[in-house]
Amino acid sequence: MLSVYAVLIDGAIYASWLFLVAAGLTVIYGVMRILNMAHGSFYAIGAYAAASLVGWYFNNGVGPVWVGYLMMLGSALAAGLAVGLLIERGLLRFMYGRDEVLMVIITYALLLILEDAMKMVWGVNPYFAYQPYAAMGRSVLAGLKVSNYDLMLVGVSLVIGFALWLWLERTHQGKVLRAVIHDREVAQAMGVNVRRVFTLVFVLGTVLGTLAGALTAPAISVAPGIGVEIIVLAFAVVVIGGMGSIEGAALGALLVGLSRAAAVHYAPQFELFVIYGVMALVLAVRPQGLFGRVLARKI
Amino acid sequence: MCLDKTELMMLGVGVVLATSGLVAPQWLVFLLTMALAKSLVVQGVVMQMRAGLVTFGQGLYFCIGGYAVGMSGHFLTISDLPTLLLIGVASAVALAMILGLLMTRYREIFFAMLSLAFSMILYGMLVKSPGLGSTDGFNVIAWTLFGWSPATGQAPLALFVIIIAVSAVLAVLLHRYGHSSAGAMCEAIRENEVRVEYLGQSPRWVLYMNYVAAAGVSALGGGFMALAAGHIDPEMAYWITSGEFVFIALLGGTSHVAAPILAAILFAVVRTYAIELVPHSWQMILGITLLAIIVFLPKGLWSLLSGQARRAKAVEAKA
């Protein structure tokens, strides 16, 4: 029975982390139809920004711990805004209207550039910022010791998911966004400033990516390559749920999270296999994903 | 068999290249062998690109080809080069015949994602297989050719000549394929699939055959890679490797069978120098080049060559 709880708890934690990582990706795809390969790099930039700042803060003097958490959020926000604006204004806006597959390749080029840019800024040695993780301590849940930081992640991802849903479904701006998702051209004809919506959404997606990185930074060693590792995971989550759907990303994260946790506990050699296996299976049965819309074929 | 001008040119270049191997330094021979092995995989990517499909998972067949060669050498103690390569191609074709049934139902980014997923599944399985060396991979045994085993020092050169011969013959075949009705249909499907259907053809069947053939060609590249490098690891199936193939394909362009070969050689040479001179900026160079190609040379480097030829002809016509 203990292992069932372990799978559930591990699965929930992993799923909430996956949702954080995938949320930005699905928002950007939903509105802009850009499958952003550079999303993993945004995640890595957030992780680096938070780890270097928080590490510096805790290594120099003994300030209160909560300032460290604020710094994590602040650095993610600042990095996300800067990188998002730079990329959207500086590059992507000249590329709109091109083929979806070509946009994938463009963001792939972006990923290659950002990977090396990060090495130039932060070097190749790993960064550690374990203090915010350690400071929260552990609690006992169903007979298992669980880190409070991980439990907080579950809370944060629930809040972010709910906020995104609320914004999309219950505000005026969300309505405009849904109009753009539904039909870009008609929305534009109705007076929606689609370009501004794109800028807004891309920056939002970037900030979600850097935030996911910043929140993960205390739990890992931040080193080159972390962004490349997670992007395929995020793809899997988003594809399973249906690209562009927030609910889909949540469900995809839950599916992948639980199946991976089960694999880790019962058949560790299938850990990676399970993630992409679920993705391939869902695509085989429902190519548009669990929440995706079927598009009519155009001649 | 009658050869046209392009085909004769390719065979001729092959002969020149192979003889130049006798005088070229060993590092260059090795570099060119690896580049040609990669160019075979890129041929597979280009075949699908001509049909409008971008695969981010050709590493799957590259890896299958490599591992089939490595494993048959390791476990079945087969060392005959043609047999090894045939086993590699056969395994890839067998897998592609199954996966192709599914893959041909998808287009655009869904095709890209699904191909990526399958190659990552293989990567995940290999990483967790201690019997195959997990992330380290394992060494490939030395090859023989119909009972002849090359003396030490001879093997790289012999392999170089073999891979040139194979690449040249394959280039001729692919050139013919490109101009056959099936090859022409691929381009029609890229332009407008529904209209191809209205004309009474089955795009799915054409794409299926194309997918399976591309898998075989790419596996050949993987097999040669294993034999040339003498080592294989799961990295071959990682999506970054597949991304590199897409890069080389775009670099060369899809308009000519020689374009991937040219692009792969250029890629290998530039990479060798870039890694030495600016080790932490190699990927950045790649990325910037990729953007530049997409914006300024959407048809690849080959369009520079063919563009020049056309201009020259126009000048001739005027005079």
Side-chain angles (χ1 to χ4, degrees):
Chain A
M1 207 50 213
L2 207 59
S3 70
V4 174
Y5 283 128
V7 166
L8 286 179
I9 293 171
D10 277 359
I13 291 168
Y14 193 63
S16 52
W17 177 76
L18 280 174
F19 177 74
L20 282 176
V21 174
L25 191 69
T26 203
V27 166
I28 290 179
Y29 181 79
V31 178
M32 304 170 78
R33 301 280 139 183
I34 295 175
L35 188 60
N36 182 17
M37 282 218 166
H39 195 70
S41 306
F42 297 162
Y43 164 90
I45 288 172
Y48 266 117
S52 51
L53 202 67
V54 170
W56 168 82
Y57 174 72
F58 282 104
N59 288 333
N60 291 288
V62 274
V65 179
W66 60 269
V67 179
Y69 294 106
L70 277 188
M71 280 178 130
M72 265 168 59
L73 291 182
S75 60
L77 208 63
L81 280 174
V83 173
L85 273 175
L86 185 74
I87 290 174
E88 204 275 337
R89 292 282 86 191
L91 174 73
L92 287 182
R93 71 183 168 122
F94 304 110
M95 306 287 180
Y96 292 146
R98 290 183 187 238
D99 219 32
E100 272 181 39
V101 179
L102 202 64
M103 291 309 273
V104 175
I105 296 170
I106 289 169
T107 56
Y108 173 66
L110 213 54
L111 165 132
L112 292 172
I113 295 172
L114 287 176
E115 282 300 305
D116 273 356
M118 277 187 278
K119 280 185 204 151
M120 284 174 188
V121 177
W122 282 288
V124 287
N125 295 322
Y127 282 75
F128 300 97
Y130 57 89
Q131 292 91 345
Y133 191 85
M136 279 208 177
R138 288 162 179 274
S139 50
V140 176
L141 207 70
L144 292 157
K145 272 190 183 168
V146 183
S147 158
N148 283 340
Y149 189 88
D150 289 339
L151 292 179
M152 182 205 71
L153 268 190
V154 178
V156 169
S157 100
L158 282 176
V159 169
I160 288 182
F162 188 66
L164 274 178
W165 177 84
L166 215 60
W167 181 57
L168 264 176
E169 302 290 329
R170 292 285 181 274
T171 65
H172 176 73
Q173 207 169 34
K175 211 171 208 172
V176 170
L177 230 65
R178 276 185 288 141
V180 175
I181 293 175
H182 208 79
D183 196 320
R184 185 183 301 176
E185 279 170 11
V186 172
Q188 198 157 17
M190 295 295 139
V192 175
N193 188 343
V194 172
R195 295 237 153 194
R196 211 173 58 208
V197 169
F198 276 12
T199 311
L200 177 80
V201 165
F202 192 80
V203 172
L204 174 76
T206 315
V207 168
L208 283 172
T210 52
L211 193 65
L215 286 169
T216 318
I220 57 169
S221 76
V222 181
I226 53 169
V228 175
E229 272 165 38
I230 66 114
I231 184 64
V232 188
L233 268 181
F235 277 161
V237 168
V238 168
V239 165
I240 288 170
M243 288 190 270
S245 149
I246 301 282
E247 306 95 295
L251 188 72
L254 211 58
L255 260 174
V256 172
L258 286 176
S259 33
R260 178 182 174 265
V264 166
H265 281 272
Y266 298 117
Q269 67 273 28
F270 289 123
E271 181 194 338
L272 281 170
F273 174 82
V274 151
I275 296 168
Y276 307 114
V278 172
M279 171 177 168
L281 193 73
V282 170
L283 272 179
V285 184
R286 252 184 94 84
Q288 71 278 23
L290 297 174
F291 278 83
R293 283 182 305 138
V294 185
L295 287 176
R297 296 207 299 172
K298 284 181 185 164
I299 298 174
Chain B
M1 186 162 106
C2 253
L3 294 165
D4 73 7
K5 214 173 70 186
T6 321
E7 291 163 354
L8 277 174
M9 189 192 78
M10 278 181 302
L11 292 178
V13 169
V15 172
V16 172
L17 216 63
T19 32
S20 72
L22 292 170
V23 288
Q26 203 154 33
W27 64 267
L28 188 63
V29 168
F30 181 70
L31 188 105
L32 287 176
T33 310
M34 302 287 264
L36 284 171
K38 271 190 188 169
S39 81
L40 288 173
V41 192
V42 177
Q43 294 283 22
V45 176
V46 168
M47 282 167 80
Q48 294 175 75
M49 235 176 223
R50 277 167 56 96
L53 297 171
V54 176
T55 163
F56 262 94
Q58 204 64 11
L60 173 68
Y61 297 110
F62 177 56
C63 185
I64 293 275
Y67 266 75
V69 166
M71 282 161 73
S72 347
H74 211 70
F75 298 113
L76 307 175
T77 60
I78 298 172
S79 66
D80 186 47
L81 182 130
T83 319
L84 284 175
L85 290 175
L86 273 181
I87 293 175
V89 172
S91 339
V93 165
L95 181 68
M97 282 168 84
I98 302 166
L99 290 185
L101 295 173
L102 188 68
M103 294 298 300
T104 48
R105 287 168 53 195
Y106 302 89
R107 303 288 179 272
E108 309 224 323
I109 49 170
F110 293 99
F111 182 86
M113 287 301 101
L114 198 63
S115 60
L116 187 145
F118 281 127
S119 81
M120 287 304 287
I121 286 178
L122 181 68
Y123 173 78
M125 291 201 305
L126 289 176
V127 161
K128 298 273 176 185
S129 315
L132 297 174
S134 299
T135 49
D136 293 335
F138 59 95
N139 287 334
V140 180
I141 61 167
W143 54 271
T144 58
L145 186 64
F146 304 126
W148 169 69
S149 62
T152 25
Q154 265 182 343
L157 189 62
L159 196 64
F160 179 61
V161 174
I162 296 171
I163 198 172
I164 286 179
V166 171
S167 303
V169 171
L170 203 71
V172 170
L173 290 177
L174 285 176
H175 181 72
R176 297 244 156 144
Y177 173 69
H179 290 84
S180 71
S181 56
M185 203 118 71
C186 282
E187 295 203 20
I189 290 169
R190 185 189 63 209
E191 293 302 324
N192 197 321
E193 190 177 333
V194 180
R195 286 189 195 175
V196 173
E197 256 174 70
Y198 281 179
L199 292 173
Q201 295 292 342
S202 161
R204 246 193 104 176
W205 175 242
V206 174
L207 290 178
Y208 180 75
M209 294 308 288
N210 194 51
Y211 180 80
V212 173
V217 173
S218 296
L220 201 56
F224 270 116
M225 189 59 120
L227 293 171
H231 184 85
I232 40 176
D233 59 36
E235 208 67 9
M236 290 171 93
Y238 200 57
W239 73 273
I240 289 285
T241 313
S242 304
E244 206 174 278
F245 297 137
V246 175
F247 176 90
I248 299 174
L250 286 168
L251 184 69
T254 57
S255 46
H256 197 280
V257 272
I261 301 173
L262 199 74
I265 292 175
L266 188 72
F267 181 86
V269 172
V270 173
R271 179 159 98 156
T272 314
Y273 284 103
I275 283 184
E276 206 145 296
L277 296 174
V278 278
H280 292 318
S281 316
W282 162 238
Q283 294 194 68
M284 188 174 272
I285 295 170
L286 278 188
I288 293 170
T289 316
L290 190 52
L291 285 180
I293 288 175
I294 290 171
V295 176
F296 301 113
L297 275 181
K299 290 199 181 287
L301 287 180
W302 193 264
S303 60
L304 286 178
L305 294 178
S306 59
Q308 237 166 18
R310 216 174 299 128
R311 268 196 299 278
K313 257 183 206 161
V315 171
E316 246 170 61
K318 259 185 205 166

